[in-house]
Each structure stands twice: as C-alpha cells, then as structure tokens.
Amino acid sequence: MLIRQVRPLDAASGEVPARPLDVRLRHGAISEIAASLAPAAGEEVVDGGGAIAIPGLWDQHVHTGQLAQAHARLDTSGAGSVGVILELVRAELALRREAGTDPGQALIGFGHRLVDLAMRPTVPALDEATGSVPTVLIGGDAHHAWLNSSALRLLGLPARDGILAEEDWFALAPRLIVLPGVADAFSTGAAMLQRQALQRGVVGLVDMEWGRPWEVWPHRSPRLHVRTAVYPAELAHAPGPTGTVLDPTGLVTMGPLKVIVDGALGSHSAYTRETYSDGHGYAGRGVLSFGAQELTAALAQAKAQGLTAAVHAIGDAAAQLALDAIAQVGISSRIEHAQMLTDDDVTAMAQLGVTASVQPAHLLDDRDATESVWPGHGAQAFRLRDLLTAGVPLALGSDAPVAPLDPWLAMSAAVHRSADDRAGWHPEQQLQPREALAASTDGVRTLTVGGPGDVVLLAEDPFVEVPLGDGGQMLDAAAREAAHRLRETRVLATIVAGRLESQL
C-alpha cells in the first residue's frame, strides 16, 4: 500500500512536517517515507490529501465478550435507585411483549452502580418485575450482577436474596452465553465492536475477558491486533510466552496474566488503606479478592511460562500489595486502573518499571463518588501527571463496556478531567494532548521506517499544546477547548498491518 500526501505527527514533540510526505507499507510494516514515491505495480494507493497521520491507537483494557453483548443490553446507567431500575426493566419487557419477542429470551442489563443506590437490590424485587424471564443486571463497573430466580436456576445456582459480586460473579460471567438469546447477540456484537473500534482509529486492543479468549479470537475473523489475557484459573492452559502468535493472520497474540486483587469504587469494594466514609465493605476498607501469597504464586507461575502480568488494583492498599508481589517475583507488569495511589506507590512503580494502565474516562464518573466515600483523598486519584513525571509508562484504555471503547474520550478526559461545567478535577494531574496521544499508541511515538504498518489518518491536528497559567497549570478554558477538539476529531482512515480496514 502507498499512502500519498500525509503529514506524520510526532507524539513526542507534537511536530508535523511543513509539506506532506508519502508512506509505503509492505509486509505489515512501513518500508519507505519520502516526499514523493511512485506507485509500484499492483500497489493499493490511498490519497491522504494532506491529512494528519498518527500511529494506530490501542485500547489497553477491553472486555470483548461483555462488549459484544452490549448492543443488545438494557441500559441501566444513570439509574439512581432500585425503583428506577425496576421501572426500566418493566418498560423493556412491555416493549418486548408489544414486539412479539420470545418471552423466554433472556434480558441482560448493564450500567447501574451500587454506590448510587440507597437500598440494596434483592432477588424477590427483581422476580416481581420480571416473572419467568431470565434476567441479569450487570453493574456498570462489571464487578457485580443482580439476577432473578429464573436466571439463577438456568445457570445452576442456588436461590439467594442479593447480588453476586467479585469472584462469584467473575466465575459466572462467561456462562451467560447459555441463556436464551445471548449467543446470537454475542456473534453479532463481536463484528460490531471491531467495526466501531476501527472507525475510531483503534488498531489494537488488550482483551481482558474471562474464559479462554485466546481460543475464541482466531475464529472471529480478526481485523485488528488483539492481545488476549488469561486469568489464574486458566493459567495452566494458556499458551506462552506473551507475544506468541495465535492465528494465521498474526493479529492475535498472547497477552498477560490478569489478576484481580480488589473490587471497584462503584461497588464499594476497592481495597484501601483507610476506611470508607460509610464503612462499607470488608472491615470498612473494601474487598481483598486475591491475597498476597496467592498473588505471588500466580505471578511466579506466569513468569515461569514467559507471561507478563496485568494486576487489577484500584484501591491504594491493593496497589501496595500488588507492587510488593511484583517486586518479590521480578515479573514485567502493569497495574490495571492504578486509580488510587500514594506517593510511595508512584515511586515504587517507577523503580520497578511497572506500567500504569489507566482508563481516564472513569474519573469522569468517579469524581463525586471519590469525594464522597474517600473524602480528602481526591489528590490520590488518577495521578496521570505525577506518574508521567516520575517516569512511569502510561497506557490508556477504556475498560469497555464500563466506558465506551473510544480513545478520543479517554484522551479528552486525561486532558481536562471534567464531564460538566466544573473546572478540571485536580488540574495538576492533567496531560497535554500529545502526552495523552503518546499513551494511546502502544509505545509507538511516530511513523518510522521499520515501524508497524498501523496508521490512522485525521482530518485535523487536535494535539495542539495547551497554554499554562501563572501557577504552571493549564488554563481551564484552554484545557476544556483542547478536550473538546479531541472528542470531535474526525478519523478519515484506519490501516492495520498494511491493510485499509476503515475509511470515512
């Protein structure tokens, strides 16, 4: 392929050449960059028309199985009470009856947050609203689910009165596909998520789905790069080492061991050094899902198999435990979410070479909840600037479907840190647009000969430097405008391993 007349942007400096260049791709890599290249016989030519060219974007944390089903799910996000959720369920079932939908088809919902609910969800309340329709309402942070009796019975679970959370829910989630209608939604959604990702300039993702995604992806007609994770329960069956090619296209490769140490803020289960303001969770400090000895053993086994590690740690106590285990084992690792960190945690991550895999869009939802349940600790949350200054590598993602698979939303959140009319939350932690880009390209800073043939063409350059005020922080109006430009960026084309996969 020959890409004509584009202006490659350097994510490190923010610079673009004054005059457009041509870029030639061969065998999935960049083979030439010059002012003018003649098309070779049989070569596909893409006319860039002076477009900005950037390295392909990656989403470093996606749950593809859950995302594949998301288009068919009832949206319960924003529902602030059990009563509102139940009204949404009743309305959805009424629409299904009017449409003549098979009454045995399962109803799957997603989006509500326990932190927003004054009353706890109960099975009898859901049974009253749903009757015999198998119903599973998944929390917006994917750390719990509210099932009715029909769903519990079909999934072979005993009767209960409340939600399933953390490890109990993680073990069940891959089995939802056995519920009536879920498999069809999954098949359609898998193709849809790839198409939507490519339209947003995403050339690769790290799949953190449960089960054995390394066995599934080679059969999904992959159109982008996929690194598949493995959880401790399946570790003995996982191929290794990390980077092992798993399909004939070379697009699917083995990724890291994923270990979930604690819960999430939205479920009041992130494991923290100090107690929550409402005393919720284990000893008032959240939930420790994976103990220190278990974690060390799992990391040691992963290292022996040649795998890297991705350790979920949202609370600062979980981060401390994870970093201690990583240091003991000496394994190449990432902290997933890295949401609440002390100064010592940031220093340890830099010293150990641990990557911070962060989902900035979460800060938009967690801003008020953090100030409510962890009052006085907002400065510890999403410390992007501190991590970058300390020399900790940043890798941005979405945690989709918890947040949309949209790197432009993630970058805009990292730049301004506000979802409404308020000024940016802890603006001292904001990133410049080009810094957010550099954390979104899987370590590739610019298009270079020999580099991967993953290229995204943009209609404009949204990575303009944001001016600083007298205090050395971004001017809020300028940061807001920069975030807006990022969200409104138009992706003209996405090229993966030298193949044109999406074009406006």
Side-chain angles (χ1 to χ4, degrees):
M1 175 182 291
L2 180 62
I3 311 173
R4 302 292 304 273
Q5 298 297 285
V6 293
R7 293 181 293 153
L9 182 143
D10 188 324
S13 66
E15 297 177 353
V16 295
R19 295 183 178 181
L21 302 171
D22 292 351
V23 180
R24 172 165 282 136
L25 310 176
R26 285 183 177 170
H27 306 297
I30 298 173
S31 62
E32 291 181 83
I33 300 177
S36 180
L37 296 171
E43 189 171 49
E44 182 178 6
V45 177
V46 175
D47 184 4
I52 298 295
I54 63 171
L57 303 174
W58 276 69
D59 190 314
Q60 296 284 343
H61 191 124
V62 180
H63 295 271
T64 62
Q66 296 176 68
L67 183 58
Q69 300 171 45
H71 75 286
R73 288 174 170 173
L74 172 66
D75 182 8
T76 63
S77 61
S81 71
V82 167
V84 170
I85 295 172
L86 294 176
E87 284 304 311
L88 290 171
V89 168
R90 293 188 183 99
E92 174 65 17
L93 292 176
L95 289 173
R96 289 185 174 194
R97 286 192 293 272
E98 292 176 9
T101 302
D102 179 359
Q105 183 170 315
L107 170 60
I108 310 296
F110 183 88
H112 67 275
R113 287 155 47 104
L114 290 183
V115 73
D116 297 329
L117 309 181
M119 295 177 58
R120 304 290 290 181
T122 66
V123 173
L126 190 57
D127 284 347
E128 187 277 329
T130 59
S132 62
V133 178
T135 302
V136 181
L137 304 180
I138 304 169
D141 56 17
H143 276 251
H144 76 272
W146 180 14
L147 288 73
N148 71 353
S149 295
S150 179
L152 288 167
R153 184 170 57 255
L154 288 174
L155 291 165
L157 297 175
R160 59 187 304 119
D161 188 43
I163 62 170
L164 280 168
E166 305 305 333
E167 291 299 321
D168 291 339
W169 163 239
F170 300 152
L172 178 67
R175 295 170 49 200
L176 294 188
I177 200 166
V178 306
L179 295 178
V182 172
D184 291 339
F186 181 89
S187 178
T188 302
M192 183 180 294
L193 78 86
Q194 290 195 76
R195 182 172 68 253
Q196 292 176 342
L198 290 163
Q199 289 170 346
R200 292 166 179 161
V202 176
V203 303
L205 53 85
V206 180
D207 188 3
M208 299 293 189
E209 192 54 87
W210 296 290
R212 298 184 183 183
W214 62 86
E215 294 180 351
V216 176
W217 265 107
H219 305 289
R220 285 185 181 170
S221 301
R223 299 175 58 194
L224 38 64
H225 299 282
V226 181
R227 294 191 193 119
T228 65
V230 58
Y231 285 75
E234 298 287 352
L235 183 53
H237 305 288
T242 291
T244 297
V245 176
L246 302 175
D247 80 317
T249 70
L251 292 175
V252 183
T253 57
M254 192 61 207
L257 166 70
K258 171 73 182 298
V259 186
I260 299 178
V261 169
D262 68 340
L265 173 63
S267 292
H268 279 191
S269 53
Y271 188 57
T272 55
R273 287 174 167 93
E274 297 184 22
T275 58
Y276 286 43
S277 62
D278 58 4
H280 188 85
Y282 174 78
R285 296 168 48 206
V287 175
L288 180 62
S289 302
F290 218 78
Q293 291 184 341
E294 293 177 290
L295 178 59
T296 301
L299 295 183
Q301 184 179 349
K303 184 179 180 182
Q305 294 177 215
L307 298 173
T308 61
V311 184
H312 165 120
I314 289 182
D316 57 356
Q320 182 184 42
L321 183 149
L323 290 168
D324 287 346
I326 290 168
Q328 183 175 340
V329 174
I331 185 172
S332 177
S333 302
R334 311 178 349 166
I335 296 293
E336 300 300 320
H337 310 300
Q339 183 165 336
M340 189 181 188
L341 301 170
T342 65
D343 290 346
D344 289 342
D345 298 330
V346 173
T347 299
M349 291 179 72
Q351 291 175 343
L352 294 170
V354 173
T355 295
S357 173
V358 184
Q359 299 75 52
H362 289 348
L363 70 85
L364 306 178
D365 298 324
D366 286 352
R367 175 178 187 168
D368 293 327
T370 299
E371 298 294 356
S372 173
V373 302
W374 296 330
H377 292 284
Q380 286 183 242
F382 299 97
R383 300 179 63 172
L384 301 179
R385 170 59 56 193
D386 288 344
L387 288 164
L388 201 62
T389 299
V392 176
L394 285 178
L396 303 188
S398 66
D399 200 12
V402 180
L405 201 170
D406 184 351
W408 305 101
L409 172 63
M411 286 188 276
S412 70
V415 168
H416 187 229
R417 297 174 67 96
S418 179
D420 48 41
D421 292 335
R422 291 177 291 180
W425 185 41
H426 288 282
E428 70 276 7
Q429 299 298 337
Q430 292 170 333
L431 299 183
Q432 287 286 348
R434 63 179 176 82
E435 293 172 329
L437 171 63
S440 303
T441 58
D442 202 43
V444 180
R445 296 295 184 260
T446 190
L447 305 182
T448 58
V449 173
D454 304 320
V455 183
V456 174
L457 305 185
L458 308 177
E460 61 280 318
D461 178 6
F463 304 106
V464 179
E465 193 86 357
V466 179
L468 304 180
D470 293 338
Q473 296 178 10
M474 295 183 193
L475 298 172
D476 188 71
R480 184 182 298 276
E481 176 59 27
H484 176 75
R485 282 196 302 270
L486 287 165
R487 289 194 303 273
E488 297 299 315
T489 298
R490 286 193 304 142
V491 175
L492 302 178
T494 303
I495 296 155
V496 180
R499 293 171 56 91
L500 180 63
E501 290 289 357
S502 178
Q503 190 169 23
L504 186 64

